[in-house]
Amino acid sequence: MKLRPRLTIFTVLLVILVVAFTSLTTVLSITYLLRREMKSNQLTLFTNFREAVFDALYLGDDLAIQVFSESLETSVPELAYAIFVDQSRGGIQLGGIESLERFKRLLPRCQRMGNLGPDSNIFLRDLKDESEAWRYYCQEIIYNNVRGQQMKGTVFLGLKLDMIEGELDRTVQRIWETLFWAMVIVLVMGLWMALSLSRRLTKPIHHLTEGAKAIGQGQLETQIPVTTTDELGFLAQEFNYMAEKLKELDKLKDDFVSSVSHELRSPLSAISGYVELLQSRPLQEIPEEKRNKALVIIRESTDRLAQFINDILDLARIEAGHIEIHRNRFKINKLAEDVFGLFQPLLEKKGIRWSIDVPAMVPQVNVDGDKIRQVLTNLISNALKFTPSGGTIRLYAKNQNEFVQISVKDTGIGISEKDRKTVFEKFVQVQKGRETVTGPKGTGLGLAIAKGIVESHGGTIWLESELRKGTTVHFTLPDSP
């Protein structure tokens, strides 16, 4: 079963359970309150009859008791009897005609049974005869008549329990009917809300599912709509960002394969061509100049292939955290002179001026000399590659707290702000730079390797650049303790 129907069913069941529980507790609470209210009204009715009996006895007016009892029979449908039994006058029973008949048939006795009222002298009892159920209240009273004589009697008030319970049942039934239709309305609204909620929650998930399926099928340009600002909306945004990154990585992969193919094809083609030339006829028949040129090109192509493979291996070791650092104390200007010496012929050929500016106060650095030479080689090689003829390359250094900051500045084509954010990533090459440079384009590994080496020494590397004015790459190294 899919997520949407499961969510809808769960929500509807939850609504049903909540409504059913709420309805049941409501009915039980209302029934309890109604019973309390009825009992309170019954006790009030008994108290009113007792007070009327007191007043009549004080005045010696037995007829008033009968009249009041008959008025209760008329106004209170559930009344069975309202009787006063005067023990001081031989058990005379005073009350309405109907009350007297029922009382004589039941002959209740006032004794402590059942629940007591607020006054401990008022007794409550429920009883049944062959056909009906009754409830009666009673209280023994002592009174003084107008002549000051102390008299004694018992006040009885009986109620038809079946009629009381029937009225309560009818009231509860009406409440149940009202709650039933309320439950129907709530369930319909709950179903509608459940469908709406499940649709709202599952629609973004469906988009994510379809998007993931499309990505899995290679459609890396896939983007899904962001319709909310909650966690699902954030997830959709992250999915789109992931898709863009995958697209970029796929492009980087294609560019890398293209660059690797070029880096491998060019020297291999040169080697193959010149080896074929040398094998085409006896060596002594080939002019010495051509033989020497062929050997030089074969050697350069072999070195180029070896360097390319070493770069890939270095990057793999850096990413795996297996790079080995053998520290020693070195002077910055010595390291720089070694590297510039390697590029001296190319610098002169291109007419590029270079300089090293390392003040005497700059201390030695505690580094792996070969690795830092590799960093400087990559930086100066890039500067040389992207600086036009007649430009300048300057290496300078200065103290930076417990570090030495080394900078390589050129007057080349510069790097755009957009490209500056990614130049230290592997296989990344500035597109404008690739179009400008003639000859081997490189693989985009140099700066990534430089970054890994510098960070493995505990330093940082960054650059500043401006289009058509040049680039400065800065990096820091710990000074010698």
Side-chain angles (χ1 to χ4, degrees):
M1 186 181 293
K2 292 188 176 180
L3 180 61
R4 180 178 295 183
R6 279 193 294 167
L7 186 60
T8 302
I9 292 172
F10 173 76
T11 307
V12 170
L13 289 176
L14 183 62
V15 171
I16 291 174
L17 289 175
V18 171
V19 171
F21 177 77
T22 304
S23 301
L24 180 61
T25 53
T26 300
V27 171
L28 292 177
S29 299
I30 291 176
T31 303
Y32 172 75
L33 292 174
L34 285 175
R35 288 187 181 279
R36 283 187 56 186
E37 183 67 20
M38 284 184 175
K39 191 170 287 187
S40 176
N41 292 339
Q42 294 164 9
L43 191 59
T44 300
L45 183 64
F46 174 81
T47 304
N48 291 339
F49 178 62
R50 184 191 61 188
E51 296 302 321
V53 169
F54 266 119
D55 293 341
L57 292 174
Y58 179 76
L59 298 173
D61 189 358
D62 294 344
L63 183 60
I65 297 175
Q66 179 182 348
V67 171
F68 192 80
S69 175
E70 290 176 346
S71 68
L72 290 179
E73 293 171 355
T74 304
S75 59
V76 183
E78 65 270 21
L79 182 73
Y81 52 81
I83 295 295
F84 173 69
V85 179
D86 195 338
Q87 281 91 359
S88 298
R89 290 187 287 173
I92 295 177
Q93 299 175 357
L94 302 174
I97 296 175
E98 294 181 1
S99 294
L100 290 171
E101 290 178 356
R102 293 194 187 96
F103 186 79
K104 289 176 181 178
R105 178 160 57 90
L106 296 173
L107 291 176
R109 286 184 289 179
C110 192
Q111 55 187 359
R112 187 184 299 271
M113 293 186 69
N115 297 325
L116 300 179
D119 188 338
S120 61
N121 292 324
I122 299 177
F123 303 140
L124 165 66
R125 186 178 182 185
D126 293 339
L127 56 84
K128 287 185 179 182
D129 65 3
E130 296 178 355
S131 59
E132 294 182 278
W134 313 87
R135 168 176 293 168
Y136 69 87
Y137 294 85
C138 64
Q139 183 179 18
E140 294 181 352
I141 61 174
I142 298 175
Y143 65 93
N144 295 318
N145 59 16
V146 291
R147 291 186 295 275
Q149 296 174 323
Q150 193 175 67
M151 311 291 284
K152 181 180 179 182
T154 304
V155 179
F156 288 90
L157 181 74
L159 300 166
K160 301 174 183 177
L161 194 58
D162 292 339
M163 186 175 292
I164 295 173
E165 292 295 333
E167 180 63 27
L168 180 63
D169 291 341
R170 285 189 292 274
T171 303
V172 173
Q173 181 65 29
R174 288 194 296 271
I175 294 172
W176 269 119
E177 291 174 358
T178 303
L179 285 176
F180 172 78
W181 291 112
M183 286 173 61
V184 171
I185 295 172
V186 170
L187 285 175
V188 171
M189 294 179 62
L191 179 60
W192 177 78
M193 291 177 63
L195 290 172
S196 301
L197 179 64
S198 63
R199 186 181 300 110
R200 176 172 178 176
L201 290 177
T202 57
K203 189 174 181 180
I205 297 175
H206 175 72
H207 288 154
L208 284 169
T209 303
E210 293 299 318
K213 187 184 298 183
I215 292 291
Q217 294 172 351
Q219 302 173 21
L220 301 182
E221 70 283 353
T222 301
Q223 294 284 290
I224 62 175
V226 181
T227 57
T228 62
T229 56
D230 54 12
E231 289 82 356
L232 288 174
F234 176 76
L235 184 60
Q237 290 178 343
E238 290 299 308
F239 180 90
N240 290 337
Y241 177 75
M242 177 197 70
E244 291 176 0
K245 281 296 182 182
L246 286 174
K247 187 177 179 181
E248 292 176 5
L249 289 174
D250 188 63
K251 185 177 182 303
L252 288 176
K253 178 200 68 176
D254 293 340
D255 292 343
F256 173 68
V257 170
S258 176
S259 298
V260 168
S261 299
H262 176 77
E263 288 295 315
L264 293 175
R265 188 187 304 113
S266 297
L268 287 174
S269 297
I271 293 172
S272 176
Y274 280 100
V275 168
E276 185 178 347
L277 172 64
L278 294 176
Q279 290 179 334
S280 62
R281 47 184 168 166
L283 291 178
Q284 54 269 29
E285 295 181 8
I286 301 174
E288 183 179 357
E289 181 181 352
K290 284 188 176 182
R291 292 200 308 269
N292 292 336
K293 181 180 179 182
L295 293 173
V296 168
I297 291 176
I298 290 172
R299 175 61 183 271
E300 289 177 349
S301 298
T302 304
D303 291 343
R304 182 176 168 187
L305 284 173
Q307 183 59 48
F308 174 65
I309 294 172
N310 287 335
D311 285 347
I312 293 179
L313 293 176
D314 286 342
L315 186 61
R317 281 191 288 266
I318 289 171
E319 290 187 338
H322 295 158
I323 184 172
E324 295 182 0
I325 304 296
H326 303 287
R327 295 180 183 270
N328 211 332
R329 295 167 56 186
F330 290 92
K331 292 183 177 180
I332 299 299
N333 53 356
K334 180 63 172 65
L335 293 173
E337 288 172 0
D338 292 343
V339 176
F340 272 113
L342 298 174
F343 290 97
Q344 185 65 37
L346 294 175
L347 293 167
E348 292 178 354
K349 180 179 179 181
K350 206 170 179 180
I352 294 177
R353 298 183 302 277
W354 62 276
S355 63
I356 299 174
D357 183 9
V358 181
M361 66 183 67
V362 174
Q364 293 180 337
V365 289
N366 185 26
V367 297
D368 186 318
D370 292 338
K371 299 270 187 310
I372 299 305
R373 287 190 187 92
Q374 187 177 358
V375 172
L376 293 175
T377 299
N378 287 337
L379 298 184
I380 294 173
S381 174
N382 283 342
L384 176 60
K385 189 183 302 182
F386 297 112
T387 300
S389 299
T392 60
I393 299 175
R394 177 176 171 239
L395 185 148
Y396 59 94
K398 64 178 180 179
N399 288 335
Q400 189 79 17
N401 297 326
E402 297 179 354
F403 292 84
V404 173
Q405 178 178 313
I406 305 167
S407 306
V408 177
K409 181 176 183 180
D410 64 53
T411 56
I413 61 175
I415 304 173
S416 68
E417 183 177 356
K418 177 183 176 182
D419 292 328
R420 268 178 255 160
K421 300 176 182 178
T422 58
V423 291
F424 288 103
E425 296 179 8
K426 59 184 178 181
F427 309 133
V428 172
Q429 298 183 79
V430 178
Q431 187 62 32
K432 185 175 180 181
R434 287 179 59 85
E435 297 169 354
T436 303
V437 174
T438 58
K441 303 294 192 297
T443 58
L445 299 177
L447 287 179
I449 292 173
K451 182 174 183 291
I453 292 174
V454 170
E455 290 180 350
S456 66
H457 280 79
T460 56
I461 186 169
W462 71 100
L463 62 78
E464 299 171 351
S465 185
E466 189 174 352
L467 286 175
R468 293 179 294 279
K469 290 189 177 181
T471 300
T472 304
V473 181
H474 309 278
F475 66 95
T476 59
L477 295 172
D479 57 21
S480 179

